[in-house]
Every structure is written in structure tokens, then in C-alpha cells.
Amino acid sequence: MMQSMRLRLFLLLLATTSAIWLLGVAWTYVSVQTRVEKALDARLMEAARMVSSLITDHHIDVAAAVSSQTDAQTAAETDAGEYRRQLSCQIWSLQGQLVSRSESAPRMSLSDHDDGFSETTVDGVKWRVYAVVNPVLNVRVLVGDSLDIRDRLVADVVTGQLVPAFASLPLLALLIWLSVARGLAPLNRIAALLAARSADELHPVTEADAPGEVRPLLRALNALFHRVSEAREREKTFTAYAAHELKTPLAGLKTQAQVAAMSSDEAVRSQALRQISTSVDRTGRLVRQLIDMATVDSAERGTSPQHLVTAEFVQGVLADLDGVQRGHGLNVTIAVGEVLSFSVRNENLLRLALRNVLENAMQYAPETSTIVVAASKVGDRLDLSVVDQGPGIDEDEHQRVRERFHRGRSPAGNGSGLGLAIVEMAMNKLDGELHFRRTEHGFSAVLSLPFAETCG
Amino acid sequence: MRILVVEDDLVLRDGLREGLKLCGFAVDTVATAADAFLALTAGGFDAVVLDRMLPDGSGLDVLLSIRRSGNRVPVLLLTAKDEVGDRIGGLDAGADDYLGKPFDLDELAARLRAIARRAEGRANGTLTCGSLSLEPASMRVERSGEQVTLSRREFAILRALMENPTAIHSKSALEERLYGWQEDVESNTIEVHIHKLRVKLGSAVIETVRGVGYRLGSV
């Protein structure tokens, strides 16, 4: 593939221009040849008739007549030089005797034709001959000219055209090269603008002064810039939040440790140590969720469906949360209904999603209450729902709680604000959705997955 | 010295309350921007420790709005975002100092003393009145070059009197400087501390202005 657009355009233009020129030359060659032939044929005819009429009326010596004509021609075309002695004339008796001939004419008969045009080769020279019969004197007048001379004439005309053409080819090439450069200048300017940018310059390129052909490209590029800078902004916000969420508990730990070290009061010290322990647990959870989030973020969508037994899968997730469940004295019921098993493209994503939904339910459910994990087929979807007796999430917060680091209004709030964001991300990757519903049984968080792909 | 701590993290808030108390401050704590705004509007603080990210808004917004209403209380911003740009933004919004998390409790205390001192127009940390000198950072009090040992509360009362030696300090004003909202104050506590101070430093050191309050006497 040719890398330079300029070189490509240049070669294309040069090739097409040269081709058109060559075609022109060929056409000129053909047309000149035809015209020259016609003109010279007419002259042959005229000369033959002239000779014939001259010998009839005045018995003028043929040889003298022809040579006088060629002399006149020579005088008229002083520059003709190489075209001299074009015409040769023979007068033959009808019995086949050579009566007379011009100086340049061969002794052999130029034609055995009675009348009209013919072509013959005499002594290796090709002749175009016109014959006319003079019935009064019983002679045939033959006037011919050499075809070589005719060809040379045509060749000279064509050469006269080709030579300046080839001579000006380098000049043409130079002009094409410069024109292409000028034509491509707007592209070069945009390329230079983009090349001069540093990696974090993501403002749009101005489309206004760009050529129409490049605008769609620029528009696509600007849209890309926009998306990248948005993603960057999100990452920045995420980093700022993550820094805050990690450094704050660290500051708490350090301060409490210093309090414990400074205080001589036993009560203050043991309170500080309790706080340190609580903070370590919470920070540990935050770190785990950050890792979960990175896992979900980089997870493949998965291609081969994994077959899962519903009850086992839910039990597995619950086992991870055993500590939280017992800590709050909660009772968990599993109701799989008719969905005894199903398949999912990435088991790990679903496990993380369910664990975070369950963990949330456990955080906010009243102590010793019951949480229900249920599976059901709804139309073409599989719903995994977690129902708890906690305060739930208000309708106007249903969207915002999915944002990273957004904590709901619930006063119990010692969550990181990452749990539901992880669920949302995981469900997106599984083509599923997270819904919230308030039912008569309590507040329900539903993981809804495509049925066709998941139910085997 | 009475400090308001605005911090949403429970563990850090509790740690700051206990830790700053140990450093000799009276500490009040709030967890949200709204509560911070209410507390600051009520006033009575010598300095504020303000977290930059609060659950219901930005600490910077609280700072901007109290500065707009003419409140000049010294503010130390506490934040996890401690890049140069953020520090500049915080200081330009009206903060007096800036500390990135995690921080050292003693450094925080020293910075609070420094911004409070500057707000009072003093460059030197040591308070001196006659033969009496008080060093807030080390909580040292000397009478004619001899060190006197004081309790935390006694120290706070003496400091309040020495910071403004000609003014009369009412009993309730001294209580406010001594205790946070969460602490119970017995009705005669101030009198008890004043009595102990007179025993340790000489009875002429604190003058009682009957029916109004107390003032630094002849030292």
C-alpha cells in the first residue's frame, strides 16, 4: 500500500495526463495519415490527367513536362528538401512499350492497371500509382509517388508533436507535484495541529475551515475526543472519591491510635481500640469492593454459558456472607420455585452482583428479621430477587444509588457507596438489569437476566 | 479553646473529638454540611476543622458561604485531595490552613493553635502577663520562672483570661470555651476551677467582678 497520499495523487495524475496525451498523438497520427493520403492521391490524379491532356494537345515531351512540374514544385517548397522527387511519371503504349518516363521514374512498369489507383513494389520501393488511359494517342499515363516518402511526411508531423510533449513532461510533473501539495495543504495543516497536541489535550478540532471531504472525519474524531474526555473526567472523579474513601478511614485509624497512645484513661483507650477495630473491618470491606469493581470492570462478557444449580449458587453466595448474617441475627430463606437450574455467561459477575445486593439487604434489614432470596421466570427473563424488611430505597434515589460512591439517605449508612454500583456494572455486562420494587412482603431488589440465554 | 470539627466519618470524628480534647481543646463535632452551617452561624468557636467532602455537600461551599456572611473564624481544611490545585482552591476559598489525610494529631493541634493565634493578632505562641507565662503547645504555665502544674480545665480557663487580660469573662462564656455540647457541666464547676487556680497561683491572679464574671487580676 502506498503510504503518501501526495505521491499517490501525483503518480495517478501524471499517468492519466500522459495517457491522454498519447491517445491524442495516436489520433493525430491516424488523422494526418488519412488527410495526407487524400491530398497526395488527389495530386497524383491531377498530375496524371495534366500529363495526359498536355501530350494530347501539344505533343509535349512527357519527360520534360513532368520534370518541369517537379521543378515548379521544388521552387515553391524551398524547404521541402527531403521530400523532393516525389512524383514519377511513365507513359506506356497500350501495346506495352515504354514511350517516355520522368527522370526519377524506374524503367519497369509502375502498374499494370488500366485505370485508377494501385500500389506496387518496384526494386524494393513501394509506389502509389495513378493510371489514366489516353484513348487519342493509345497510351497509358502512370504517375506515382513513393509510399516511404508519404510515411515520412506523416511521421514528421507526429514527431513534431511528440517532441515538445516529452520535453515538457518534467515541467508538467513539477506543476502537478506542486498543485497536489497545495491541494493537500488543509489536510497537512490539520495533521500538524493534531501532531502538536499533547496526550491530554482533548478539545475539539475546529471544523469550520476544514475542507468538506475531511469534515466527517473531524466530526468522528471530535466525538471520540468528547467520549475520551468524559471517560477521563469520570476516572478523575472516581480517583478523587476513592482517595477520600481510603484516606479518611486511614486518618481515623491514625488518630484513634494516637488517642490510645496519649490517653491515660482506660475507658478512652479501650473505646479508641474498639473504633480502630471497626474501622479496619470497614476499610477491609471497602478495599474488597474496590477490587470487586476492578474485577467487574475488566471481566469478559463470557461466551460459553455456565450451568448453575440455583439453590447451590445462592447457598455459595450466602456462605461468603455468613459473618454478616450471624452478626445481625438474620434468617435467610431461599425460594427457587420452578427455576431449579439456569445458565449464565459469567458466573463470577452474577455472584458478585448477588453478593452485593444481599450484603446491602443484610446491612439495612432490622436485626433478627427474615430475608428472602427468590428465583422466578417472568416472561422471557429470569428474576433473582432479594426481599428484606429494611427501609428500602426511595423512588427518587433509585438511579443515584447506582452511581459510584453515592450513599443512600439511610441513617444506618456505613456502606462505601460502591455495592450497587458494582451490581449495576455486573448486570450491564450480563445484559441484565437491576430493579427496585416495594411489595407487601418488603423491599425487593431484583436482578433480571435474559431468560433465553440463561435458562438451560 | 473551643474547636468545631466537621467530619462525616464516624471513627475519624470520634478520634478527633477525643484526641483534640487530650490536646487541651474543647471540641464540638458535626457530621454534615447543614449542621456545620448551623453551628458556625451560632458561632463561639476559636477554630474549625472542616472536611472537604461531606455527604450533603462540599466543605468548600460551607466555607465560602460563611466567609460571604462575614464570619472570620479560622478554618483548617481536612482533605484526601491534597494536590497543589486543590490546596490552592481551598486556601483561596477562605481556608487558613490545609491538612491532607491521614495526618498527625499533634500537627493538627499545632496548626489549630497557630491559626487561632494569628486570628487574635499574635505571632508568638506564648502568652505573657506580668510574671505569668503560658505556653499553649506544651500546656506549660510558669509563675516567676517556676513551673506550675495545672489540670486541663484550669489551664483552659487561665488561657482564656490571659488571651484577653482586660476583658471580663462571664461564667457562661468560660463554660462554652471549656466544654463541647455533648459534655455535661455541673453548675459550680467554673467556681471550683477558679478556686484551684487561685490556690496554685495566688489569690490575686483572678479577680471576681461580682454579678458579671472574672478578669485577670494583678500578676
Side-chain angles (χ1 to χ4, degrees), chain A residues 89-92 100-101 105-110 140-142:
Chain A
C89 184
Q90 291 176 330
I91 299 172
W92 290 84
S100 178
R101 65 176 180 95
R107 288 175 183 281
M108 302 278 290
S109 168
L110 280 171
R140 265 188 333 137
V141 177
L142 302 178

Side-chain angles (χ1 to χ4, degrees), chain A residues 240-241 243-244 247-256 258-259 262-263 268 271 275-276 278-279 282 407, chain B residues 7-12 14-16 18-19 22-23 51-54 79-82 101-106:
Chain A
Y241 271 111
H244 179 258
K247 284 183 173 180
T248 299
L250 281 181
L253 284 173
K254 178 155 182 169
T255 307
Q256 292 286 5
Q258 282 186 294
V259 167
M262 278 160 74
S263 180
V268 172
Q271 163 71 5
Q275 295 278 24
I276 287 174
T278 313
S279 186
R282 278 179 45 199
R407 292 193 183 93
Chain B
E7 169 59 58
D8 60 320
D9 183 84
L10 187 87
V11 175
L12 179 56
D14 179 81
L16 284 173
E18 293 307 320
L22 288 173
C23 294
D51 186 24
R52 204 170 155 155
M53 273 188 186
L54 295 168
T79 182
K81 284 165 97 180
D82 50 358
K101 290 176 185 174
F103 50 83
D104 187 276
L105 191 59
D106 294 327

Side-chain angles (χ1 to χ4, degrees), chain A residues 12 36 48 66 76 81 101 121 228 304 358 391 394 423 448:
Chain A
L12 271 174
V36 164
V66 171
R101 65 176 180 95
T121 309
V228 171
S304 54
L358 262 171
D394 291 338
V423 177
S448 173

Side-chain angles (χ1 to χ4, degrees), chain A residues 67-334:
Chain A
S67 75
S68 78
Q69 205 222 358
T70 43
D71 283 349
Q73 206 173 24
T74 313
E77 300 173 23
T78 42
D79 289 339
E82 56 198 290
Y83 303 132
R84 250 187 301 173
R85 296 186 182 272
Q86 276 183 46
L87 289 181
S88 302
C89 184
Q90 291 176 330
I91 299 172
W92 290 84
S93 73
L94 287 182
Q95 287 74 39
Q97 276 180 310
L98 183 63
V99 178
S100 178
R101 65 176 180 95
S102 67
E103 187 187 352
S104 59
R107 288 175 183 281
M108 302 278 290
S109 168
L110 280 171
S111 169
D112 20 349
H113 228 73
D114 277 353
D115 212 355
F117 287 106
S118 64
E119 280 175 27
T120 46
T121 309
V122 178
D123 297 339
V125 180
K126 274 185 149 187
W127 294 89
R128 173 91 172 154
V129 184
Y130 186 75
V132 63
V133 175
N134 189 324
V136 183
L137 297 176
N138 275 337
V139 291
R140 265 188 333 137
V141 177
L142 302 178
V143 179
D145 60 2
S146 154
L147 279 177
D148 286 350
I149 293 181
R150 283 192 176 199
D151 287 345
R152 207 159 63 220
L153 201 64
V154 173
D156 284 351
V157 171
V158 172
T159 315
Q161 247 195 339
L162 272 178
V163 167
F166 279 110
S168 63
L169 201 61
L171 184 66
L172 183 72
L174 179 72
L175 284 177
I176 289 177
W177 181 251
L178 291 176
S179 304
V180 166
R182 199 172 163 76
L184 290 178
L187 265 189
N188 287 335
R189 193 169 42 77
I190 290 165
L193 267 178
L194 289 175
R197 283 185 177 212
S198 63
D200 52 354
E201 280 181 87
L202 292 172
H203 57 270
V205 186
T206 42
E207 287 176 39
D209 48 349
E213 292 85 344
V214 191
R215 268 185 218 170
L217 189 71
L218 285 187
R219 229 166 282 145
L221 197 63
N222 283 342
L224 179 68
F225 279 152
H226 184 65
R227 282 202 301 280
V228 171
S229 66
E230 267 186 349
R232 256 177 118 131
E233 206 45 52
R234 273 201 304 280
E235 285 314 307
K236 251 189 193 164
T237 317
F238 177 76
T239 314
Y241 271 111
H244 179 258
E245 298 296 321
L246 280 170
K247 284 183 173 180
T248 299
L250 281 181
L253 284 173
K254 178 155 182 169
T255 307
Q256 292 286 5
Q258 282 186 294
V259 167
M262 278 160 74
S263 180
S264 49
D265 184 339
E266 197 50 49
V268 172
R269 279 166 65 158
S270 64
Q271 163 71 5
L273 291 174
R274 262 200 310 281
Q275 295 278 24
I276 287 174
S277 166
T278 313
S279 186
V280 167
D281 287 348
R282 278 179 45 199
T283 313
R285 179 163 173 248
L286 171 66
V287 169
R288 201 195 67 221
Q289 284 190 313
L290 281 170
I291 294 168
D292 285 354
M293 181 160 259
T295 309
V296 172
D297 203 25
S298 62
E300 301 289 333
R301 300 176 71 90
T303 43
S304 54
Q306 288 154 292
H307 198 72
L308 300 175
V309 175
T310 316
E312 275 178 19
F313 174 69
V314 177
Q315 288 289 3
V317 176
L318 277 172
D320 288 350
L321 296 168
D322 197 38
V324 189
Q325 188 191 335
R326 272 189 290 153
H328 292 242
L330 293 163
N331 183 27
V332 179
T333 313
I334 304 172

